[in-house]
Amino acid sequence: MPSAKRSKIAAFGSAFPEQVLTNLDLEKIVDTSDQWISERTGIRERRKLRDNEQNSDIAAAAALQALERAGVSPMEVDCILGCTTTPDRWMPSLASAVQAKIGANNGATAYDVLTACAGWMTGLQAADAYVRAGVYKNVLVIGSEALSRFLNWKDRTTCVLFGDGAGASLVTPANVGDPGEILELIVHSDGRYGDILDLPGCGSQMPPSLAVLENNLQYIRMNGQEVYKHAVRNMVAVCEEALARRKLTVEQIDWFVPHQANIRIIETVGKKLNFPTEKVAINVHKYGNTSAATIPTCFDEYVQTGKIKRGDLVLMTTFGGGLTWAGGIVRW
Ligand SMILES: CC(C)(COP(=O)(O)OP(=O)(O)OC[C@H]1O[C@@H](n2cnc3c(N)ncnc32)[C@H](O)[C@@H]1OP(=O)(O)O)[C@@H](O)C(=O)NCCC(=O)NCCS
């Protein structure tokens, strides 16, 4: 395959489970209130997979929508990156499960990327490099999560924050200036802070056991205040890094699409970067934190509703367990 000068996001696709869980619903499950959740996080409702639905169902639906919009058939896909912390099974990968569900049965490479909420941007960086190196032509990058399966529904400090959802993107070769061109992608990690946001149980360190279950170690744990501090600092820094690399200023950016974890983090990061609020894309109130799915689904929503237009410069940033964080710029 010939190498390409650039790569582009040819299309997005999104899928959410139908089941809605509002803050009022949560009031009936844990000791919380709509007011507390709204004020501290901006979240009003989130989606939750039903028992008979899997992560791969929404991931496949999002992938098929992206392929259809791009006019590419599943058999033309060369590589599938499943960006997730919550695959259907530890093995095979979410990407392999999606491959079977969408009928990409041409031997395409399929594997998962685990960098928590930074997953989709990490996958996008790999896809961009693959396409520009001529390794693959059509790369599906899917950020998809079934976080509701890994939440302790008795722990009000975590269960109110997250939701399920899937955002897919198709990355293809491009020339300089093509719509959707990926201009910059930076992904960072600092493993020293792995303990402030983790899912400790049922891995090889703590295999499933009664003790693991009794201590709720099969669920997501978080030191909210520590995460908040690192999130703000690192997202601001990586955005400045991406802008500097491209010699762009905030004034030249049309839209800011930050990770949708929490409205207060979004507002603080936006303010520190001097983004006017009308340039900041937000949908956290409807879906909560869907981890690797937040940026592709929010970007997609703003494209579908005509807010992000062709030619707009879009700055994206994210932050997650690892710790991981990323920044990137796309010319839509
Ligand atoms: C989680 C977060 C909203 C908590 O807000 P906070 O202002 O730090 O709140 P605290 O943890 O200090 O808790 C304040 C009080 O609210 C209580 N509280 C926590 N969750 C609650 C809930 N869902 N409902 C009601 N009260 C709650 C706490 O128990 C505490 O009570 P206390 O003072 O009696 O001990 C905030 O830390 C945050 O946004 N962190 C980042 C989280 C994140 O985005 N993670 C994902 C990154 S990818």
Side-chain angles (χ1 to χ4, degrees), residues 118 121-122 186-188 235 238-239 316-319 324-328:
M121 290 194 67
T122 312
I186 301 168
V187 181
H188 290 303
M235 285 199 287
V238 77
C239 284
M316 313 173 286
T317 186
T318 188
F319 176 89
T324 54
W325 64 103

Side-chain angles (χ1 to χ4, degrees), residues 32 36 40 117 156 222 224-225 228 259 261-262 289 319:
T32 189
W36 192 97
R40 305 275 177 134
C117 301
R156 66 179 183 174
M222 184 178 66
Q225 283 174 9
Y228 193 104
H259 176 42
N262 177 309
N289 180 351
F319 176 89

Side-chain angles (χ1 to χ4, degrees), residues 29 40 76 122 143 208 224 251 253 262 279 291:
I29 303 174
R40 305 275 177 134
E76 293 174 280
T122 312
E251 290 71 37
I253 299 292
N262 177 309
K279 280 188 176 184
S291 191

